Amino acid sequence: MSKPKVLVVGAGGIGMIGAYTLHYNKRCEVSVIVRSDYELARKRGINIDSVAYGKVDNWKPANLAANTTEAMEAFGPFDYIYLATKNIPDGSNKCEDVIRPAVTPGLTTILMVQNGIDIENAMFEAFPANIVLSGVTLSGAQNLHLEVKHVGPEVCTIGFFKHPTIDEKILEAKAKEFIELYSNDLNTITYEPDVRSSRWRKLVYNASINPITALAGLDYSRVELCDGRATVLRPAMDEVVKVALADGYIIPDSHVQAMLEVSSGLFYTPSMLMDVRNNNLTELEIILGNCVKIARRHEVATPVLDTLYALMKMKQFDIKEKNGIIKVDTTINKDYSTYGKGF
Amino acid sequence: MSKPKVLVVGAGGIGMIGAYTLHYNKRCEVSVIVRSDYELARKRGINIDSVAYGKVDNWKPANLAANTTEAMEAFGPFDYIYLATKNIPDGSNKCEDVIRPAVTPGLTTILMVQNGIDIENAMFEAFPANIVLSGVTLSGAQNLHLEVKHVGPEVCTIGFFKHPTIDEKILEAKAKEFIELYSNDLNTITYEPDVRSSRWRKLVYNASINPITALAGLDYSRVELCDGRATVLRPAMDEVVKVALADGYIIPDSHVQAMLEVSSGLFYTPSMLMDVRNNNLTELEIILGNCVKIARRHEVATPVLDTLYALMKMKQFDIKEKNGIIKVDTTINKDYSTYGKGF
């Protein structure tokens, strides 16, 4: 029997370590999409400096493509897509559109190794006949023009998103099949029977620390120096816990405490702050937007998260305008003399 | 009888229009402090383009000084100080220290034409034997290297801060005496019997729109385009109203509505956003910090204002660090491998 085919989409640190892990395990045929640095990947290969796999220079994936259309033609159809792109539903590049050319209905299982909550809905809508898995990973990896730095050993939980029509037994088997392909002695991959639970737990960190550092323009240590843990991180996390509870998930206080501690003392730049600094769109909607929407549905008051979300929507607007995605007609300024009436 | 002597401190738009107004009225002897552009003021003078006073080129105030010590030596003692500097108690240049050399105990009345609430306390502490007046002004003026643009006619309310020991009759007479010096046909100066009320009313605007535009990095119109009025401006204003109520001041909803409308449609940059963009310290503590402190004292919950305040404290920290006021030792980074434990 031929090996299953896995396509890795999303060439950030997580995607690269995912691709190398599958390559290292030799249990599947790995195809990798490298978009912007495609020529460099083809000619020189990828350099990896990994806490788990050591130094690997000039690694050339056996199957390399510049986009999913080319990948499908040359190496498809795919049993799995390991999806590790950024997930920006309010951007011009929705991840379901990115993978569409490589998805075979009824065959391809999509593993979403992405942040956020309620991310499966857009996937089910785009691909109603496909299985969608959830991967909540922590790997401490980054990729800058094919120089991959992997500083934290990968800890990942994988499970299935409940599908509207496909039986749970089949979904579970598929999740476990992928775990077989992906596990080795150098990572810790566990089956997660309730993926929404793991997503809520990660959201405690992501929905608070990401927007707060992004809005402050400060790394984690500096936020701590400003007493941010007490003044805004903890209040934001407490609201995430309340929303999760209304959604049916109990997050113990020990977990919140652990999330507060996890980056303590690190001059660490969370992804949203990195994005704001680099003038890139952030994963605001799936991380904070969906959390706030769930809160509204359950009528849970979340004034801190609402404030962070409103401000981050403005940052996102600013980034969209700076990238030419939206245009503002600044000539329709009202008469300035009205300013100040009524004080 | 000789004319009363007024020293104008703070050479922004408001201070410059204040100085010119007093000069124009000819009822007092005006001395003006111009610090950074002193040489230019002395040689070329000040250019004013005013909605009220027309175009005035090369205006040279009769009494000009580079700081309060020189002003006191050359032109003091002063009956009044018209204080229009920025008010940044957490900065290195407290306004009471700036005026100290020009304050004569028992003689000099200090008119604080500055934003915020509870600003009189530091003044009473520094000058227990002096009268302190409150001026809440709206003038729509700016000064860029002695090119003064005055776009909105001045509307100002003046009254007295209740003094711990001086009789209210004396305070009231002093406030009205200054109004006599300052009023003319081109401005609207009214006596305010309860200055705390006028400060709360202005704070509805300043404690919400200033930090929100500063954190978003967007002018007022763009904040509106992001639906900011509903998502965060109104919630922030509602909290200011609640705090004012606990402090004994009823702010009608019509005023809140007016504050929401006042800058509508204007690509207008509030001062705090201007400060953040120019990497200058903001008037955070007197505008938002004192409001939040009053809320805590009265046990009023203000989660939106608390969040804005916490984030702005971080922006202020960033500005202090960039200006070398504080130093952060970034070498004491904890072991990065701890990052991610516990997800």
Side-chain angles (χ1 to χ4, degrees), chain A residues 138 222 268 321 334 339-340, chain B residues 138 222 264 268 321 339-340:
Chain A
L138 206 98
R222 286 182 170 84
Y268 162 69
E321 191 180 358
K334 266 185 18 188
Y339 168 67
Chain B
L138 205 96
R222 286 181 169 84
S264 184
Y268 162 68
E321 191 180 357
Y339 167 65

Side-chain angles (χ1 to χ4, degrees), chain A residues 80-81 292 330:
Chain A
Y80 287 96
I81 290 176
V292 164
T330 53

Side-chain angles (χ1 to χ4, degrees), chain B residues 115-289:
Chain B
N115 284 317
I117 198 139
D118 279 345
I119 59 173
E120 67 275 27
N121 300 337
M123 226 28 93
F124 286 146
E125 204 170 305
F127 313 112
N130 292 74
I131 294 173
V132 183
L133 304 179
S134 163
V136 173
T137 190
L138 205 96
S139 188
Q142 58 181 44
N143 171 19
L144 203 68
H145 295 306
L146 307 188
E147 301 289 338
V148 180
K149 252 190 118 54
H150 179 206
V151 294
E154 182 167 11
V155 179
C156 182
T157 59
I158 292 175
F160 61 85
F161 289 116
K162 279 177 194 161
H163 193 279
T165 57
I166 302 173
D167 190 86
E168 294 199 5
K169 286 266 179 285
I170 296 169
L171 301 172
E172 179 176 338
K174 208 44 129 173
K176 289 183 169 170
E177 185 181 278
F178 187 83
I179 291 172
E180 283 297 308
L181 300 179
Y182 198 73
S183 288
N184 60 39
D185 292 347
L186 303 166
N187 61 22
T188 311
I189 316 299
T190 50
Y191 175 69
E192 166 66 77
D194 186 350
V195 300
R196 199 165 175 84
S197 164
S198 60
R199 292 201 162 265
W200 273 120
R201 290 167 66 92
K202 191 162 184 189
L203 214 61
V204 170
Y205 184 95
N206 276 335
S208 57
I209 287 174
N210 262 300
I212 287 164
T213 53
L215 288 165
L218 294 183
D219 56 53
Y220 191 82
S221 262
R222 286 181 169 84
V223 166
E224 277 191 308
L225 285 172
C226 295
D227 201 25
R229 277 168 64 165
T231 59
V232 62
L233 289 171
R234 177 83 211 201
M237 286 182 178
D238 285 345
E239 288 189 358
V240 178
V241 169
K242 276 202 310 179
V243 184
L245 187 65
D247 195 48
Y249 293 87
I250 295 167
I251 298 175
D253 196 68
S254 57
H255 178 73
V256 178
Q257 208 52 48
M259 291 301 94
L260 273 174
E261 304 282 351
V262 71
S263 303
S264 184
L266 295 177
F267 292 92
Y268 162 68
T269 304
S271 63
M272 233 182 239
L273 171 57
M274 192 88 84
D275 287 334
V276 167
R277 283 185 174 160
N278 293 335
N279 210 26
N280 289 328
L281 288 177
T282 69
E283 297 192 306
L284 172 64
E285 290 303 333
I286 53 141
I287 285 177
L288 194 49

Side-chain angles (χ1 to χ4, degrees), chain A residues 51 138 140 149-153 205 220-221 224 261-268, chain B residues 330-341:
Chain A
V51 68
L138 206 98
K149 253 191 114 56
H150 180 206
V151 294
Y205 184 96
Y220 191 82
S221 262
E224 277 190 307
E261 304 283 350
V262 72
S263 303
S264 183
L266 294 176
F267 292 93
Y268 162 69
Chain B
T330 53
T331 59
I332 43 168
N333 209 336
K334 264 184 20 185
D335 185 358
Y336 197 84
S337 67
T338 61
Y339 167 65
K341 291 275 163 60

